[in-house]
Amino acid sequence: MAPRSNPSERQRRLGAELRKLRNRAGLSGDQAAVILDADRARISNIEAGRIDVSRNRLYKLLREYGCPDGPYFDGLMEMAQGRGTGWWDEFRDVVAPIACDLAELEERSTALRTHDPLFVPGMLQTREYAHAVISESEPDPQRADRFVDFRLHRQRVLSVGSQVAYRAIIHEAALHAQIGGPQAMRKQLLRLIEVARLPNVTVQVFPFEAGAYSAYSRSFAIFGGVDTELDTVYLEHPIESVFLRDGELVDEYAKMFERLSSLALAPIDPESAPESHETRDSLSLIQHVMYSL
């Protein structure tokens, strides 16, 4: 089989992890090729994600590279087993490959952390809000509807019974933006309160008075793997979005998220009584904005 020209993020990540492990073991590409009884080009293609590696061959490489048993080992084996197919395939006619990579990554993640200084995160958007956002960049109504359907399908990872821990930090500015009009915004703010009732969801608001740190941090999402060494950062950009896999960079974004969380208001607790809000928290701020629309 000829090497693929456009590997998925999962395929690239598996290859990158194998290259990292090989380098840690102090082995050259030629030595790795001997382990698999293959040529050097095959190792290069595997590490670039351009060709797959069977589970048996991957197991052999991991053992020779000194990778110990545990979540990281199992996570790599699972990545090799994945075929990259899923519900997102039906949307490949309208969404870019990186969007399908994002959907696949969300399906495989154990935890999601997201920060957005401008919009309500896609995972929490209502149909009306999502349509208003997407229509700004997609004038074709039919394509816009398909994009919205894709975004709403992604939200299924937060459905009732999900084990994925989701934390969102949203800037207060996003609550005041008149996206889709007052009625659409009221529905969107109510949606934030409703989804926060899920036991695996935490929503915090970063208030204006907390300063400019949120704006400087920009928008980002952290996807937790079965092992922290498999965590991924996603940076969304209108021109070219990117996935970050470097451990040090991922750690920096994790620290940034915790800093944002410490500066943000207390999380939404929909079960608390109004009189219990002695100090302003995320719920009281959202309700204040919602009632003022």
Side-chain angles (χ1 to χ4, degrees):
M1 181 179 294
R4 60 178 69 89
S5 59
N6 187 28
S8 69
E9 170 58 21
R10 175 183 54 80
Q11 292 160 341
R12 289 192 297 268
R13 181 59 183 270
L14 177 59
E17 294 301 315
L18 288 175
R19 184 185 305 111
K20 179 174 67 178
L21 288 170
R22 176 175 61 76
N23 288 332
R24 283 181 184 174
L27 297 175
S28 67
D30 290 328
Q31 289 172 310
V34 171
I35 294 172
L36 295 187
D37 191 22
D39 57 28
R40 178 68 177 83
R42 186 171 188 84
I43 296 299
S44 296
N45 283 323
I46 289 174
E47 294 182 350
R50 290 191 292 265
I51 62 174
D52 294 325
V53 56
S54 68
R55 283 176 57 84
N56 288 340
R57 288 193 156 200
L58 175 60
Y59 184 89
K60 190 173 184 179
L61 284 177
L62 294 180
R63 288 304 186 201
E64 292 292 335
Y65 291 167
C67 182
D69 290 333
Y72 180 61
F73 187 103
D74 296 338
L76 294 177
M77 295 295 295
E78 183 180 353
M79 289 170 70
Q81 186 175 13
R83 298 270 69 87
T85 57
W87 62 262
W88 48 86
D89 288 327
E90 64 181 276
F91 293 95
R92 290 189 184 275
D93 59 317
V94 291
V95 302
I98 194 170
C100 294
D101 287 346
L102 179 62
E104 183 181 4
L105 180 58
E106 288 167 343
E107 292 278 335
R108 293 191 290 106
S109 295
T110 59
L112 304 175
R113 287 170 284 177
T114 182
H115 163 252
D116 204 314
L118 296 175
F119 299 102
V120 171
M123 280 287 181
L124 305 177
Q125 291 178 5
T126 62
R127 177 174 290 276
E128 294 84 355
Y129 184 99
H131 194 276
V133 172
I134 290 171
S135 295
E136 289 296 321
S137 58
E138 179 48 72
D140 185 305
Q142 291 185 330
R143 286 179 59 86
D145 287 342
R146 293 274 286 152
F147 277 116
V148 172
D149 288 341
F150 176 77
R151 181 162 296 181
L152 297 185
H153 267 71
R154 287 172 49 206
Q155 296 178 1
R156 295 190 300 180
V157 300
L158 300 183
S159 59
V160 176
S162 171
Q163 300 300 309
V164 178
Y166 179 82
R167 296 172 61 190
I169 299 174
I170 308 167
H171 198 283
E172 183 179 349
L175 309 183
H176 291 275
Q178 291 289 316
I179 295 177
Q183 184 176 0
M185 280 305 301
R186 278 193 292 269
K187 289 182 178 179
Q188 178 59 75
L189 297 179
L190 182 60
R191 165 68 175 165
L192 290 180
I193 298 173
E194 291 175 341
V195 77
R197 289 193 174 98
L198 296 173
N200 59 315
V201 175
T202 302
V203 176
Q204 287 181 270
V205 176
F206 193 97
F208 287 128
E209 64 266 23
Y213 187 73
S214 179
Y216 290 133
S217 303
R218 304 293 180 88
S219 170
F220 65 90
I222 306 173
F223 299 89
V226 294
D227 184 87
T228 55
E229 202 161 353
L230 294 176
D231 288 358
T232 304
V233 170
Y234 176 70
L235 303 178
E236 187 168 10
H237 190 275
I239 305 300
E240 185 177 7
S241 300
V242 296
F243 293 102
L244 302 180
R245 315 177 197 101
D246 180 85
E248 293 184 2
L249 289 177
V250 173
D251 287 344
E252 287 302 313
Y253 274 96
K255 293 175 184 176
M256 193 184 303
F257 186 89
E258 294 308 320
R259 173 64 172 161
L260 287 161
S261 179
S262 69
L263 294 172
L265 298 174
I268 294 177
D269 181 6
E271 305 305 322
S272 64
E275 59 272 15
S276 68
H277 296 251
E278 297 180 359
T279 58
R280 191 166 70 144
D281 59 9
S282 296
L283 176 58
S284 62
L285 177 53
I286 290 175
Q287 289 176 327
H288 172 75
V289 175
M290 183 170 61
Y291 296 145
S292 67
L293 291 172

